[in-house]
């Protein structure tokens, strides 16, 4: 799915919609984002040596996982983080990199969802972790 289709699932908009495309294949969601270099989070992280902050990589993982929950994500619903566990940052992500995320839902008991995922660039592991979130709203 493209950005327009992703926006039908996620409430995120510019500048926090951090997926260019995504797809759900069975129990796994795969997402992509190309770091342009002009993103707001790179302006001060770090001048002269831009590196995507780890928290942004975690956000991209969560947005990818939400693609798996298309049926639960309706108008007025918000996915919010409830926890991050075993998060590890292995290699920096820089402008020009094309991020690929892979997420798998480990378990769920609505409104709580528990997932795990990885962030890679050219098959190089950049980040991994487990995370949980809740679907809130009307």
């Amino acid at each position: 799915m493209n950005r327009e289709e992703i926006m039908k699932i996620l409430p995120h908009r510019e500048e926090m919609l951090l997926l260019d495309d995504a797809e759900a294949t069975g129990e796994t969601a795969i997402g992509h984002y190309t770091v342009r270099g002009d993103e707001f989070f790179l302006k001060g992280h770090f001048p002269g040596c831009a590196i995507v902050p780890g928290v942004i990589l975690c956000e991209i993982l969560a947005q990818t996982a939400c693609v798996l929950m298309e049926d639960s994500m309706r108008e007025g619903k918000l996915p919010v983080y409830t926890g991050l566990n075993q998060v590890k940052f292995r290699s920096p992500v820089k402008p020009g990199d094309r991020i690929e995320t892979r997420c798998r839902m480990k378990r769920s008991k609505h409104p709580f969802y528990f997932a795990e995922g990885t962030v890679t660039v050219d098959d190089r592991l950049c980040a991994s972790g487990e995370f949980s979130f809740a679907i809130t709203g009307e």
Side-chain angles (χ1 to χ4, degrees):
M1 62 182 62
N2 61 31
R3 286 177 72 84
E4 291 298 318
E5 293 166 318
I6 292 168
M7 286 192 288
K8 292 177 183 173
I9 300 170
L10 292 176
H12 302 74
R13 297 296 180 262
E14 296 298 335
E15 299 181 355
M16 282 304 294
L17 180 60
L18 299 171
L19 288 174
D20 294 327
D21 62 73
E23 67 176 310
T25 57
E27 296 182 8
T28 303
I30 301 168
H32 297 100
Y33 180 75
T34 299
V35 183
R36 298 178 317 272
D38 63 351
E39 290 89 351
F40 74 93
F41 49 80
L42 292 176
K43 291 180 180 157
H45 198 269
F46 300 96
C49 185
I51 297 173
V52 176
V55 68
I56 296 295
L57 298 177
C58 292
E59 177 64 24
I60 297 170
L61 278 173
Q63 289 184 22
T64 303
C66 286
V67 171
L68 289 169
M69 304 171 358
E70 183 173 1
D71 294 338
S72 300
M73 296 297 301
R74 303 203 191 303
E75 186 75 27
K77 300 290 185 182
L78 294 174
V80 294
Y81 261 126
T82 57
L84 291 165
N85 296 306
Q86 304 297 318
V87 175
K88 296 189 185 327
F89 302 105
R90 306 280 184 185
S91 184
V93 177
K94 299 182 176 195
D97 285 347
R98 183 172 189 259
I99 295 170
E100 180 172 285
T101 53
R102 289 185 178 268
C103 295
R104 178 181 79 80
M105 205 62 64
K106 292 174 68 176
R107 67 184 191 282
S108 65
K109 185 174 181 180
H110 187 76
F112 298 102
Y113 296 84
F114 302 86
E116 63 185 1
T118 59
V119 175
T120 59
V121 172
D122 295 328
D123 294 323
R124 172 177 42 97
L125 181 62
C126 298
S128 62
E130 299 174 352
F131 49 98
S132 58
F133 51 98
I135 304 298
T136 65
E138 302 171 2

